[in-house]
Amino acid sequence: MPHTDKPEQERPVLGRFPRPVRILGYTALAGFALLYLLPFLLQLANSFKTDPEAAANPMSLFPGDGTLAAYRRLFGLADGVANVPFLTWLGNSTVIAVLVTAGRVLFDSMAGYALARLRFPGRRLLFAFVLAVMAVPGVVLLIPKFLVLKSFGMFDTYSGMILPLLVDAAGIFIMKQFFESVPREIEEAARIDGAGVLRVFWSVVLPMSRPSLITLTVLSFQGSWNEFTHFLVSTQSSEHDTLTTGLAHFVSGGLGSGTQYPLKLAAALVSTIPVAILFFCFQRYFVRGANSGSLKE
């Protein structure tokens, strides 16, 4: 009779522990997961409460008198009360996030390919500058950003909100690391067939970098969607408010009096949905792209 037991090195890691230990481990993981989800569940529950109920019992996960008043006011459907310009914030954030994401995917991939494959004077120094930018805290650049935007007449404009974000050092680094993992033989074969540098990049290498491009897309969309400090120093009028700056003004009491916990939590909940959907739809490619470039041929 053939021996059916797996070799020790091929057995699953969890299968090496006794059943009670595994049950205890899964129970602990489930407990940590629920603990992590608790703030989001409280946020969801309080968004359906009335103002007095949310202030009196904010830790309850079950609204006593469930109501959609916060969401109606959020989307301008409430009568007799001042509505929040949430749709304006949402529109600004959506347009800026889409444009910034498209720009970063294009320019970061081009810059990453140039640093990985092209040979030109100062290439190593330029890449050192990219790494240096990643090491500089963003708060240090706030005043220089304001002065530059003011000097070029881009302060409090959409161009001033978008153009400085179109390229980022982290995206260039991610794409460079991936392109260095692509075998050179593939590019050399395309050049033998008469393809130039741009043709090789656009038609050969870029289609192979799908996981890294998706990773860069998710990170760029999340970063531009959640961006706050740049918009804080580049705008001042309410018509240019995004979700982050609008919610900050709202929480600080700039759009009404009282706690207004349900309305604030509803706005925060809706603002997290697009990023959460994007991440869960592409999480498989995100993990694969994050690991790309760690192994080279």
Side-chain angles (χ1 to χ4, degrees):
M1 186 173 179
H3 186 67
T4 58
D5 292 339
K6 292 183 179 181
E8 183 66 24
Q9 62 272 18
E10 296 182 4
R11 293 180 60 189
V13 176
L14 293 178
R16 302 175 184 176
F17 295 95
R19 184 179 180 86
V21 176
R22 281 181 287 166
I23 293 177
L24 183 62
Y26 287 130
T27 302
L29 289 176
F32 281 116
L34 291 176
L35 186 63
Y36 179 80
L37 290 174
L38 181 60
F40 299 98
L41 296 177
L42 289 174
Q43 182 184 40
L44 178 63
N46 280 281
S47 67
F48 290 102
K49 297 178 182 179
T50 61
D51 286 344
E53 182 184 2
N57 194 11
M59 298 301 294
S60 174
L61 292 175
F62 303 99
D65 300 322
T67 177
L68 294 174
Y71 292 95
R72 290 181 179 276
R73 185 180 172 190
L74 197 64
F75 290 99
L77 302 176
D79 298 327
V81 294
N83 293 311
V84 178
F86 183 79
L87 294 179
T88 301
W89 305 343
L90 182 62
N92 288 337
S93 290
T94 301
V95 172
I96 291 173
V98 170
L99 293 178
V100 170
T101 300
R104 286 187 178 181
V105 170
L106 176 62
F107 296 128
D108 289 356
S109 59
M110 294 176 67
Y113 183 76
L115 291 173
R117 285 293 190 258
L118 303 184
R119 296 294 181 263
F120 54 89
R123 182 176 65 93
R124 295 182 182 274
L125 181 61
L126 184 59
F127 182 61
F129 284 151
V130 172
L131 296 179
V133 170
M134 294 176 60
V136 176
V139 67
V140 177
L141 303 176
L142 292 183
I143 296 179
K145 279 184 179 180
F146 171 77
L147 295 177
V148 170
L149 293 175
K150 197 74 172 178
S151 300
F152 282 92
M154 298 170 60
F155 178 72
D156 204 24
T157 63
Y158 286 109
S159 59
M161 300 171 69
I162 296 173
L163 291 180
L165 300 179
L166 288 181
V167 179
D168 72 319
I172 295 175
F173 178 79
I174 291 174
M175 297 309 299
K176 177 183 180 295
Q177 293 301 107
F178 174 81
F179 289 139
E180 287 184 341
S181 68
V182 176
R184 292 180 179 271
E185 291 78 7
I186 298 176
E187 300 173 60
E188 292 173 356
R191 291 194 181 95
I192 292 175
D193 292 336
V197 175
L198 289 179
R199 182 73 173 180
V200 171
F201 167 73
W202 188 261
S203 300
V204 178
V205 179
L206 203 59
M208 298 175 58
S209 60
R210 182 181 177 186
S212 292
L213 289 176
I214 293 178
T215 300
L216 181 59
T217 299
V218 173
L219 291 177
S220 299
F221 187 87
Q222 182 186 29
S224 56
W225 186 269
N226 296 330
E227 180 63 43
F228 175 71
T229 56
H230 172 68
F231 299 146
L232 189 64
V233 300
S234 62
T235 62
Q236 66 177 3
S237 60
S238 59
E239 66 181 33
H240 293 114
D241 275 342
T242 61
L243 285 171
T244 52
T245 56
L247 286 174
H249 295 154
F250 187 23
V251 172
S252 64
L255 299 175
S257 59
T259 57
Q260 303 185 86
Y261 289 141
L263 186 59
K264 295 175 182 178
L265 292 175
L269 179 64
V270 174
S271 66
T272 61
I273 292 177
V275 175
I277 293 177
L278 184 69
F279 179 80
F280 283 114
C281 288
F282 297 103
Q283 60 177 335
R284 178 180 59 180
Y285 301 100
F286 180 83
V287 174
R288 188 185 306 171
N291 292 328
S292 64
S294 59
L295 296 176
K296 296 185 180 181
E297 296 291 340

